[in-house]
Amino acid sequence: MSRRNLLSGIAAMSIGPAAVLATHATAATLNRRSAPDPDAELIRICEAHPSIIAAVNDYGSGEDDCPLWQAYERSRDAIHAAVPVTLAGMVAKARAARAEALNPKNGTVSPSGTPAEIWAWDLVQHLLRLEG
């Protein structure tokens, strides 16, 4: 064995554990970044919710069997049941709450008597839960 090979082997053994730990840390970071957002479905539903509200307001029949109303109920109930685990999920739910509180006739916002009233309190609870 040459002295160069011996020194290379010793150097590799001395940095081996550190390199392995760094590789594992990097892999863990990459896995976290590439993992799907746990609130992705909630965010998708919340982003579509204002359009559903607008469709019900513009074209809904006001009847329980109206497909637009049924789509609204599914969306509303899914948002209500959702427990966001990320700040992005909470922001999405807050935007959906604002859409619920918006009066399309004059542009004012009033959550009283709407799902937004309940969701606002839910968001307080979600924030406190995330804080621990």
Side-chain angles (χ1 to χ4, degrees):
M1 178 184 283
S2 73
R3 188 166 51 181
R4 183 179 300 168
N5 287 343
L6 177 63
L7 291 175
S8 295
I10 292 171
M13 288 186 340
S14 67
I15 63 168
V20 168
L21 290 176
T23 301
H24 285 296
T26 302
T29 301
L30 289 174
N31 285 339
R32 261 187 308 214
R33 287 185 192 153
S34 63
D37 182 345
D39 284 335
E41 183 64 10
L42 169 61
I43 292 167
R44 185 192 66 73
I45 293 168
C46 289
E47 286 175 349
H49 196 67
S51 297
I52 294 170
I53 292 171
V56 167
N57 288 339
D58 293 343
Y59 306 109
S61 69
E63 302 297 323
D64 288 343
D65 62 349
C66 173
L68 293 172
W69 178 255
Q70 291 170 352
Y72 166 76
E73 285 183 321
R74 283 190 301 275
S75 179
R76 180 201 61 204
D77 294 348
I79 294 167
H80 181 72
V83 179
V85 295
T86 65
L87 189 55
M90 287 186 212
V91 169
K93 191 169 183 175
R95 287 186 176 135
R98 181 166 170 75
E100 282 286 348
L102 181 65
N103 182 339
K105 292 178 184 168
N106 62 16
T108 61
V109 177
S110 177
S112 183
T114 71
E117 186 174 33
I118 297 165
W119 296 350
W121 183 248
D122 287 348
L123 287 164
V124 169
Q125 298 301 322
H126 299 324
L127 281 169
L128 293 173
R129 186 192 75 254
L130 274 186
E131 180 61 28

